[in-house]
Amino acid sequence: MDPQRSDMCVRELLNAGSFSWNMDLIAQKFSSRDRDCIINLPPPSDSGPDRIVWHWSSNGIYTVKSCYRIIMKRLVENSHLFVEGDWNSIWNTKVPLKVRFFMWRACREVLPTRLNLQKKGIQISPLCPLCNNNLENVWHSFVGCPAVTPVWSESGLWEKVDQHAREVDSFADLIFRMLRENPRHIGDQFVMILWSIWQRRNDIIWKDGPRDPNTVIRRAFSVLSDWSQSRILSSLDRNVPPIPCSDKWHPPRHGFNKCNVDAATFSSNNRSGFGAIIRGSGGDFVMAKATPINFLPPVEECEARALLDAMVWVSTLGLSHVVFESDAKVVVDAIYEVERSISEFGDVIKEIRSLLQNHRNYSVHAISRQANGAAHLLARNSRFLSCPKVFLSAPHFLDTCINDVCHSCLSNETARTLTGVGDIEAC
């Protein structure tokens, strides 16, 4: 670094009028090692005042939880605490968060069963409070106790539970297998009934509650139904657009264009890339863009930057009625949520919101990854470029993706043009 400029500010390393690194100045002022470190950092996305950002949380705000996690990950030897298993199958269940935490505790066998309480030094009988015949551990509480068999039988899940229980070595393995080898709704019902069985156990101990197995099932399904309904209402309140179920691209309505966006990361050379493709209401190709990026931001931030870059590009083209689609649901959710964020990701989201406010006929939606294939290929191909490239005609590597359209959403005339077949019934 230039010894005469020890007070140099970051803003002096940016190109005037844009938030991009001044490569010539950086090469002049810094050593090759420092230069590489700088250009591999995302340039600042705004000119606001400096602020302290906590790097190890998604919103840049310090929390004790995030600090604990980074300490446990980097400073403390805790490999003996890890339990093998498909833990994501628990966290991905569509059940209340308290039930997911309950399942995590059950799989770790840290629920306050009587046997666990006795091991902690509490003077208590280790026998099950429901049958008084066996030691109360996690397996017995949910599978082995004669008092829970009628619950599983009435729920219609006993055959599945009994079959898997005979093939596993632990309660955690039973959970993982039930969630892995059954449809999503069966897995959700299964964990809700487990939670309700434990609630009944506590009600019997502390409140002399009912033992009726149907009470357990009704409570499980009632809580699940109420929670699911509240999630639907919450999403409606936040105006979060739903994700289409189709794996094919759907054209926008008449008078609108649709811009699909994606990002790709290339960790081998610390680079990333953006891809964007504009198509009309007839599914026709309008324009596309592939943009190489000389730094590697976190994945979520990279997806947000790709969306912002596409929105700025589209606005400069003078297109006023545009639907933007991204397969990064976390980015789309962040746009419509009100959570405070001071991270770089949060700054990008703020700029996207500002563009949406200034362009009332712009909207952003989440789609499936399969329906975003064209933008994905553009992003991947950006690694072969040294500067952004705009395609005025469809490149050959997009042929398959461009033709992969939900033809039932097109007019008969457009469908005949794209496919060369007779009339297709429109939606």
Side-chain angles (χ1 to χ4, degrees):
M1 182 175 174
D2 185 351
Q4 297 179 348
R5 290 302 315 278
S6 59
D7 61 340
M8 180 178 285
C9 298
V10 172
R11 66 173 177 271
E12 298 179 46
L13 303 179
L14 301 174
N15 289 312
S18 68
F19 296 106
S20 59
W21 295 120
N22 186 328
M23 306 299 288
D24 294 336
L25 180 61
I26 292 174
Q28 176 186 348
K29 297 292 184 180
F30 295 89
S31 66
S32 59
R33 181 183 67 85
D34 290 343
R35 181 189 65 230
D36 291 340
C37 291
I38 292 173
I39 64 177
N40 284 328
L41 291 172
S45 58
D46 67 21
S47 58
D50 291 344
R51 61 184 182 275
I52 298 175
V53 176
W54 178 248
H55 178 68
W56 292 280
S57 65
S58 60
N59 59 9
I61 300 173
Y62 171 84
T63 63
V64 174
K65 179 180 179 180
S66 62
C67 183
Y68 171 81
R69 283 183 172 177
I70 196 65
I71 289 175
M72 293 297 292
K73 182 177 181 180
R74 298 193 175 188
L75 302 181
V76 178
E77 169 54 42
N78 59 1
S79 58
H80 63 284
L81 299 177
F82 288 99
V83 177
E84 291 187 2
D86 185 11
W87 294 98
N88 283 336
S89 65
I90 291 178
W91 301 119
N92 291 336
T93 52
K94 300 300 183 182
V95 299
L97 184 60
K98 65 179 180 181
V99 178
R100 279 174 273 167
F101 275 116
F102 166 80
M103 293 306 305
W104 177 82
R105 296 176 66 205
C107 288
R108 301 278 302 193
E109 299 198 10
V110 295
L111 290 176
T113 62
R114 287 193 167 183
L115 188 60
N116 279 345
L117 292 174
Q118 191 183 65
K119 290 178 180 178
K120 295 295 183 180
I122 297 177
Q123 300 301 314
I124 190 174
S125 169
L127 296 179
C128 171
L130 274 65
C131 68
N132 290 312
N133 288 325
N134 298 91
L135 298 178
E136 190 197 34
N137 56 21
V138 172
W139 183 274
H140 176 81
S141 297
F142 299 107
V143 182
C145 181
V148 302
T149 303
V151 176
W152 294 119
S153 298
E154 290 294 328
S155 70
L157 297 178
W158 173 245
E159 184 176 345
K160 297 179 183 294
V161 173
D162 184 53
Q163 175 187 347
H164 292 312
R166 296 175 186 273
E167 300 171 349
V168 299
D169 298 324
S170 68
F171 182 73
D173 288 340
L174 173 63
I175 301 300
F176 297 141
R177 180 168 293 195
M178 280 291 295
L179 295 178
R180 182 178 65 249
E181 299 186 5
N182 290 286
R184 167 67 67 87
H185 72 280
I186 295 295
D188 294 345
Q189 292 175 9
F190 171 67
V191 299
M192 288 302 304
I193 291 174
L194 287 172
W195 170 80
S196 191
I197 286 174
W198 186 254
Q199 299 305 307
R200 181 186 68 164
R201 177 258 191 199
N202 291 338
D203 288 345
I204 291 174
I205 293 176
W206 302 107
K207 304 176 184 177
D208 194 25
R211 295 172 176 261
D212 178 24
N214 288 315
T215 302
V216 178
I217 298 170
R218 283 195 299 270
R219 170 163 44 193
F221 291 171
S222 175
V223 171
L224 180 59
S225 176
D226 291 345
W227 177 81
S228 300
Q229 187 64 28
S230 68
R231 278 172 53 87
I232 294 173
L233 295 175
S234 176
S235 64
L236 292 175
D237 289 342
R238 291 187 288 115
N239 294 318
V240 178
I243 299 179
C245 297
S246 174
D247 290 339
K248 294 184 180 295
W249 180 84
H250 289 251
R253 67 181 185 270
H254 180 71
F256 276 75
N257 289 296
K258 179 174 285 189
C259 180
N260 286 81
V261 182
D262 201 10
T265 57
F266 314 110
S267 56
S268 60
N269 56 3
N270 283 319
R271 296 182 64 192
S272 54
F274 306 156
I277 176 172
I278 306 171
R279 283 178 276 187
S281 58
D284 49 303
F285 177 89
V286 176
M287 204 175 295
K289 181 183 179 184
T291 305
I293 304 298
N294 292 321
F295 56 87
L296 185 62
V299 174
E300 293 178 359
E301 182 184 332
C302 191
E303 294 281 2
R305 287 179 179 273
L307 177 58
L308 176 62
D309 182 81
M311 294 178 72
V312 172
W313 173 54
V314 168
S315 67
T316 61
L317 296 175
L319 300 177
S320 58
H321 293 68
V322 184
V323 176
F324 293 89
E325 289 186 337
S326 168
D327 58 31
K329 186 174 183 298
V330 65
V331 174
V332 179
D333 287 346
I335 294 171
Y336 294 99
E337 290 174 349
V338 294
E339 180 182 357
R340 176 170 172 257
S341 176
I342 61 173
S343 65
E344 284 292 326
F345 174 73
D347 287 343
V348 178
I349 294 298
K350 290 177 185 176
E351 292 189 55
I352 293 173
R353 289 173 181 162
S354 178
L355 279 171
L356 289 173
Q357 290 176 354
N358 294 330
H359 297 79
R360 293 297 182 179
N361 290 312
Y362 283 6
S363 62
V364 179
H365 299 257
I367 56 167
S368 66
R369 183 170 298 176
Q370 294 86 343
N372 206 35
H376 176 73
L377 286 177
L378 284 162
R380 297 296 300 178
N381 275 270
S382 69
R383 68 185 185 275
F384 303 119
L385 304 175
S386 59
C387 60
K389 180 175 181 179
V390 174
F391 298 88
L392 300 180
S393 59
H396 65 85
F397 60 82
L398 292 184
D399 289 346
T400 301
C401 291
I402 289 179
N403 291 328
D404 191 22
V405 178
C406 178
H407 293 294
S408 63
C409 297
L410 301 176
S411 67
N412 289 333
E413 180 180 354
T414 303
R416 284 196 300 271
T417 301
L418 291 177
T419 64
V421 300
D423 286 354
I424 296 178
E425 182 180 356
C427 293

